[in-house]
Amino acid sequence: MSVEPRPTQSVIWRTSVTLLVVGAVALLLQLGIVIVHYGTDEDFLFRAMTDQESDAISDAVTVRKSGKLKVDLPPDVTERYRKYPHGYGFEIVDESGNVMAAANQDIFPPEITRRGVNPEYAMTCIDRDKGSLCVSTRRIEVEGKSYWVNVAITAQSAGIFSRIDPAGIVTGVFVRELIDDVGVPMVPILIALLLVNVLAVRRALRPLHTAAAAVQQLDPSNEKIQLQEAGLPREVKVLVHAINDMLARVDRAMMAQREFTANAAHELRTPLAVLMLRLGEIDGPAADRLRADVRAMARLVDQLLEMARADALTIEPNATVDLAAIGRDTVENLAILALDQGRELEFEDRGGDIVPGNENAVRFALRNLVENALRHSPMGRAVQVVAGPGAQIQVVDHGKGIPPGQREVIFRRFWRGDATTSGSIGLGLAIVKRVADAHGARIVIGETDGGGATILLIFGNRPEPDPGRAMASDRQVENDRAA
Amino acid sequence: MRLLLVEDNRSLADLIAGGLKRAGFAVDSFATAGEAEEALRAVTYDLLILDLGLPDRDGTQLLQNLRKQGINAPVIIVTARGSVDDRVAGLNIGADDYLVKPFEMDELIARCRAQLRRPGGRSSVALAAGNVSVDTVTGEVRINDEVIDIGRREYDILVLLLRQSGRVVPKARFEEALYGFGEEVTPNAIEAHVSRLRKRLAAAAATPSIHTIRGVGYLLKA
């Protein structure tokens, strides 16, 4: 049974969704409470409705030059008064009790005193045969003079509402009350919570990002790699500690493998010496061929050791490599090998630099490059080792060249492009790669003018630092930018 | 010339001893450091060939003890430990040469000879490669057993090349050896001499050839 992988979601997304759900539940709860509240308090909503009505009327009042009032109601309100002559009514009364403006005045019940009263606000409802009638009175001030706006609305009970007016404006009032009581306080709180959540999660996860960056910087082939545990939050520390445990195990495994390679190679040398000396006592072309095979095998043993050493390579802070000297030495040492193969080896110094690095390592990297070039060179042609200009050294051959598609894979361990090429097990270029990486050097493969491969080792980038230092120097860069 | 060989691998010890005997050396062969020390108390050897990985003790300890006891015979370390650091360490504790396994018998014999002629400070009398030989005392150059005449500079070049037969002799070495201090060397002088020597050798049907290793120096290949 295959399990569909769930799409990965960020922690921010997950916590935000949780918060939203909780917020929605809280909102619903509060809604419920508000609805129950309005449902049980009969007057509350109606009071709000008459308030709203008297507000609308007050806003519409202006004083004419003649001293009379003019009420300019919005068309829908005017329409409502026209349509429900027994549903809505209002009047505006001055201090002396004179009605200054009115609509559907008849619906005001005589038993409710409404003129000459002097409260700021009052509201009263009376029950009738069919539903009830509520009247509110409220003082307003227009151009320094007090007036009373009296509003009367008839109502019936319906649904959750104990009173509903004929045009149903109470539902609008209800919605507005909900927005005011629930939406206005809750929505900003929810938005603020979500924002705080994003920031808090980001902040909480920052040590994890830092740890991840440190893990990215790790090179498992280096010895003794551990992440910093000090100063990490407890939750992240657990993970980092587990990673460190795993790194230690990987380190032990790598070390065991390196030691095994080194020991095995080492132990092979004595039997090879026996073989070589025994062959020395035999003459003839078959013995010569065997001797060549033993030499190739001895070289393979060397390469295994070089690989094991390159894997454990460390670069002392003050160690340097003279590229010109090392180029010359390499040509000097391998010249006889080239001549034995019917090929030539040349050196040219175009001003090679002295670069930071491990001399032995660069030496065997260069040796492997030259051996590789010799193998792929046609008989009678020369392989050139060129130091410089600057922090680079190149090995130029006139063979078939390296097709662009193979330029990555040739550096893999035990990779062999041409299985028929003898004397190669495909470790040489892997050693070159490992040494280059440890030095922060680039390997560039190009074409030689007139055919063949040119492989450049370009130094000068800072050597691969340990993760702790990498972060420190990145911070330095940031500081520099800030400055 | 009596040589002491300390090597615990029986096959290898037999092969080395056999090869050295054929080359005219007398060889005593032992498998442990203890046996070797005992023999050294009884016999004065001209040269020691020492393996480092011995069953009873490390070869480096044996060497250090010998040097402390004032045994100054040249020591060639023959070992499977091939790193530059191992080499330097070996030479630092008093070895005179360091040969990494596997090696060819000729190489070991050449190194033994090189060590044996060293204390006198004199270079070997006879140098040879292929059918070319030089007597450095009389200054006689023979090709196919016939004495030939060559110029002084060509002779000096030939001697340098023969001494390092199969290895590159850097150009600077020729300049040092051929010209006195302050003497002006024209850029092509060495090249001209080498070219003349080459023609001379070819004319006399010499088997070794001189190869130019551009940018580095010259190499005599037997």
Side-chain angles (χ1 to χ4, degrees):
Chain A
M1 196 181 81
S2 72
V3 178
E4 281 286 308
R6 282 181 57 174
T8 53
Q9 290 163 335
S10 73
V11 173
I12 288 178
W13 172 255
R14 285 180 198 189
T15 49
S16 297
V17 167
T18 311
L19 270 177
L20 270 174
V21 169
V22 170
V25 168
L27 209 71
L28 284 173
L29 260 173
Q30 205 180 346
L31 262 180
I33 291 167
V34 169
I35 288 168
V36 167
H37 178 70
Y38 283 133
T40 50
D41 186 343
E42 294 198 324
D43 288 345
F44 194 84
L45 198 58
F46 221 75
R47 190 185 302 249
M49 183 169 69
T50 52
D51 274 359
Q52 195 183 314
E53 194 71 2
S54 55
D55 273 351
I57 293 165
S58 309
D59 287 347
V61 173
T62 46
V63 184
R64 290 178 201 223
K65 278 183 187 160
S66 60
K68 293 193 169 172
L69 290 185
K70 186 188 176 214
V71 183
D72 239 347
L73 282 171
D76 59 320
V77 179
T78 316
E79 176 62 20
R80 179 152 49 78
Y81 277 85
R82 202 188 54 73
K83 199 172 169 189
Y84 301 101
H86 302 291
Y88 306 92
F90 77 84
E91 51 181 23
I92 298 172
V93 183
D94 69 3
E95 278 166 303
S96 327
N98 302 318
V99 175
M100 306 297 288
N104 304 336
Q105 214 177 346
D106 326 336
I107 73 163
F108 284 97
E111 65 265 38
I112 290 180
T113 310
R114 56 187 199 278
R115 294 188 185 108
V117 288
N118 207 6
E120 277 296 300
Y121 178 84
M123 188 197 127
T124 179
C125 290
I126 49 170
D127 287 328
R128 287 179 166 180
D129 309 337
K130 299 170 191 166
S132 59
L133 175 80
C134 291
V135 179
S136 78
T137 181
R138 184 177 183 200
R139 192 178 72 87
I140 60 169
E141 215 160 281
V142 182
E143 297 191 349
K145 288 175 93 179
S146 286
Y147 299 91
W148 278 261
V149 178
N150 302 323
V151 173
I153 298 173
T154 59
Q156 284 179 319
S157 115
I160 57 161
F161 301 112
S162 53
R163 293 195 181 98
I164 187 159
D165 59 305
I169 59 169
V170 71
T171 44
V173 173
F174 178 62
V175 169
R176 228 175 74 181
E177 286 295 307
L178 284 186
I179 290 170
D180 286 355
D181 290 359
V182 181
V184 170
M186 282 293 280
V187 170
I189 287 176
L190 201 59
I191 289 170
L193 263 178
L194 286 176
L195 280 175
V196 167
N197 172 56
V198 169
L199 293 176
V201 170
R202 274 214 189 134
R203 208 181 127 87
L205 291 185
R206 199 176 302 143
L208 214 56
H209 281 288
T210 316
V215 172
Q216 282 286 344
Q217 294 274 346
L218 292 180
D219 178 354
S221 55
N222 273 353
E223 273 180 287
K224 296 273 169 286
I225 34 164
Q226 293 278 286
L227 297 173
Q228 279 281 348
E229 281 182 45
L232 291 179
R234 204 173 339 119
E235 294 84 347
V236 178
K237 207 180 219 168
V238 172
L239 179 64
V240 169
H241 188 75
I243 290 173
N244 275 341
D245 274 354
M246 187 207 64
L247 285 173
R249 285 197 296 277
V250 169
D251 192 41
R252 276 197 295 279
M254 299 278 300
M255 203 129 85
Q257 188 228 322
R258 271 202 296 273
E259 271 169 19
F260 175 78
T261 311
N263 288 339
H266 189 79
E267 290 303 320
L268 278 169
R269 278 185 164 161
T270 301
L272 275 174
V274 172
L275 205 55
M276 194 172 270
L277 294 186
R278 228 185 265 295
L279 282 169
E281 295 179 349
I282 309 169
D283 285 330
D288 286 344
R289 277 202 297 278
L290 279 173
R291 264 195 290 278
D293 289 342
V294 174
R295 260 182 237 123
M297 223 154 125
R299 177 65 192 130
L300 159 62
V301 166
D302 284 348
Q303 281 187 323
L304 283 173
L305 277 167
E306 283 170 10
M307 191 80 240
R309 261 180 235 139
D311 277 339
L313 181 60
T314 50
I315 297 166
E316 299 298 320
N318 293 322
T320 55
V321 184
D322 182 341
L323 293 179
I326 232 163
R328 190 177 285 116
D329 280 2
T330 303
V331 170
E332 209 175 300
N333 292 329
L334 296 180
I336 187 71
L337 182 86
L339 290 172
D340 282 344
Q341 297 176 1
R343 294 164 178 117
E344 281 179 36
L345 198 52
E346 296 174 1
F347 172 72
E348 190 184 337
D349 184 4
R350 290 186 197 155
D353 274 353
I354 294 174
V355 298
N358 181 313
E359 190 184 295
N360 287 329
V362 177
R363 195 183 288 277
F364 45 69
L366 190 58
R367 180 193 173 113
N368 281 298
L369 276 181
V370 171
E371 283 176 337
N372 183 66
L374 283 172
R375 255 198 304 279
H376 295 99
S377 240
M379 294 297 249
R381 291 302 298 269
V383 166
Q384 281 103 15
V385 175
V386 182
Q392 58 169 325
I393 191 154
Q394 50 180 308
V395 176
V396 183
D397 73 43
H398 301 278
K400 281 188 234 159
I402 302 165
Q406 289 189 4
R407 290 180 183 176
E408 289 289 320
V409 293
I410 57 167
F411 294 104
R412 287 188 197 151
R413 288 174 194 203
F414 300 107
W415 192 88
R416 290 165 67 189
D418 178 2
T420 59
T421 310
S422 64
S424 160
I425 53 152
L427 260 188
L429 292 179
I431 294 170
V432 176
K433 176 84 170 75
R434 176 70 199 107
V435 171
D437 286 349
H439 283 79
R442 273 189 305 136
I443 303 174
V444 178
I445 301 179
E447 255 167 66
T448 309
D449 288 342
T454 295
I455 303 188
L456 273 117
L457 271 182
I458 304 172
F459 292 80
N461 301 338
R462 79 201 146 107
E464 197 174 89
D466 63 54
R469 259 188 293 159
M471 282 189 283
S473 58
D474 286 348
R475 268 201 297 279
Q476 188 58 47
V477 171
E478 278 173 19
N479 290 347
D480 290 351
R481 256 185 238 135
Chain B
M1 290 286 173
R2 194 159 183 183
L3 271 53
L4 176 71
L5 171 66
V6 194
E7 165 64 63
D8 64 320
N9 183 297
R10 176 58 66 84
S11 307
L12 191 59
D14 288 351
L15 284 161
I16 294 174
L20 290 171
K21 278 174 190 161
R22 275 195 296 282
F25 297 103
V27 184
D28 292 340
S29 174
F30 297 102
T32 64
E35 287 171 335
E37 278 187 325
E38 221 162 281
L40 278 160
R41 274 195 281 276
V43 184
T44 306
Y45 289 97
D46 298 296
L47 176 81
L48 277 64
I49 298 170
L50 191 60
D51 178 20
L52 290 185
L54 295 172
D56 56 339
R57 221 182 312 154
D58 197 85
T60 53
Q61 277 181 30
L62 175 62
L63 177 54
Q64 277 170 316
N65 283 349
L66 297 183
R67 292 301 189 223
K68 264 186 223 156
Q69 288 162 28
I71 297 172
N72 287 320
V75 171
I76 299 175
I77 288 175
V78 169
T79 179
R81 299 173 199 170
S83 79
V84 178
D85 294 339
D86 290 330
R87 212 177 284 248
V88 170
L91 296 175
N92 275 344
I93 56 161
D96 298 86
D97 204 350
Y98 198 100
L99 196 56
V100 180
K101 295 173 184 176
F103 50 86
E104 293 187 47
M105 204 58 223
D106 292 346
E107 179 77 21
L108 180 61
I109 291 168
R111 302 231 187 167
C112 287
R113 292 215 167 109
Q115 288 304 324
L116 287 169
R117 68 177 173 246
R118 232 187 32 155
R122 257 184 344 142
S123 298
S124 88
V125 172
L127 294 168
N131 60 4
V132 177
S133 66
V134 172
D135 187 320
T136 55
V137 177
T138 60
E140 224 171 45
V141 179
R142 286 168 182 271
I143 295 175
N144 263 334
D145 279 338
E146 271 178 51
V147 178
I148 60 156
D149 260 348
I150 57 173
R152 185 175 70 84
R153 307 266 203 226
E154 284 77 44
Y155 173 83
D156 289 343
I157 287 170
L158 183 59
V159 168
L160 276 176
L161 287 170
L162 280 171
R163 285 223 174 101
Q164 306 247 35
S165 174
R167 276 183 253 172
V168 179
V169 182
K171 225 170 175 179
R173 282 284 310 281
F174 291 102
E175 286 167 7
E176 284 161 20
L178 268 64
Y179 298 92
F181 183 74
E183 217 173 330
E184 205 171 314
V185 190
T186 58
N188 296 326
I190 304 288
E191 222 172 296
H193 290 302
V194 168
S195 157
R196 218 170 299 155
L197 176 62
R198 234 184 227 141
K199 276 184 198 145
R200 198 76 190 80
L201 292 178
T207 48
S209 50
I210 300 170
H211 295 266
T212 307
I213 309 304
R214 273 176 60 188
V216 182
Y218 299 95
L219 179 148
L220 184 83
K221 192 169 175 282

